[in-house]
Amino acid sequence: YKIVNRPAFQMYGIEEIFDTAEGKNFTAIPAFWNQIRQDGRYDALVRSSGFPCVPSSICGYREMEGSAFSYLIGMPLTPLSETKDFTVIDVPANTWAVFWNEPHRIEETPAQLQALIKRFYADWLPTADYVLLGGYDMELYFRDADGNCYEEIWMRVKPNQ
């Protein structure tokens, strides 16, 4: 892992609300990704960026009731971005704990990402010199030169006082 300080920025994209009750989010979020790929919104989002890119996601950026949380599939806003018909959010300046996984096949992405998130919460956070701040959790998606996928998670943290 690494600790990164990043200034404020904006993201834009396709928003949905999910619920962690009974682990619904573990199946609903991959289904959401599949849905926007099938209905053309994913391709429209990629075209809106003005440059070749892979959308990422951010969650927990709005106050929600109970176990519901906001989730946006999107990308950073740049001068080339066309944001019409997309949700735009402000991401405040923060310190982030960044974790990544090993390259894998695309169909393994949901399981690999969930394992990465569990590693952060179960292995790192309980003994870290940092505490987790709520919201603005990011997932970044990449492909290596061999076409394998890998992900990074960015979690807002502050030093443990």
Side-chain angles (χ1 to χ4, degrees):
Y1 79 94
K2 62 184 174 182
I3 300 296
V4 175
N5 292 309
R6 183 169 179 172
F9 64 100
Q10 291 182 300
M11 284 187 71
Y12 73 100
I14 305 160
E15 182 180 50
E16 187 63 72
I17 304 301
F18 292 101
D19 199 316
T20 60
E22 300 172 12
K24 293 176 189 173
N25 54 309
F26 290 116
T27 56
I29 291 174
F32 178 51
W33 279 87
N34 289 336
Q35 176 188 355
I36 70 164
R37 282 190 180 100
Q38 292 171 0
D39 67 19
R41 290 183 290 167
Y42 182 91
D43 291 336
L45 178 62
V46 170
R47 284 191 306 274
S48 75
S49 69
F51 61 93
C53 63
V54 176
S56 297
S57 65
I58 186 167
C59 66
Y61 49 86
R62 294 191 198 288
E63 291 291 326
M64 305 292 296
E65 295 287 324
S67 56
F69 65 94
S70 52
Y71 185 91
L72 182 102
I73 297 173
M75 54 195 66
L77 186 68
T78 73
L80 300 175
S81 303
E82 295 289 335
T83 61
K84 185 178 182 287
D85 299 324
F86 295 109
T87 300
V88 177
I89 64 168
D90 294 315
V91 180
N94 280 294
T95 299
W96 308 83
V98 181
F99 288 75
W100 53 91
N101 56 17
E102 296 298 318
H104 54 82
R105 296 187 325 260
I106 191 167
E107 56 272 4
E108 297 171 342
T109 298
Q112 291 286 332
L113 186 57
Q114 290 169 14
L116 184 60
I117 292 167
K118 288 176 186 173
R119 189 176 94 207
F120 170 81
Y121 281 101
D123 298 342
W124 185 79
L125 191 57
T127 60
D129 291 331
Y130 292 85
V131 294
L132 181 65
L133 299 174
Y136 299 96
D137 301 343
M138 293 191 293
E139 301 169 356
L140 282 63
Y141 305 92
F142 303 96
R143 288 209 181 216
D144 65 16
D146 297 324
N148 292 311
C149 301
Y150 65 97
E151 296 78 39
E152 290 181 357
I153 58 169
W154 290 54
M155 310 298 271
R156 284 189 336 144
V157 295
K158 69 176 184 177
N160 196 357
Q161 300 296 342

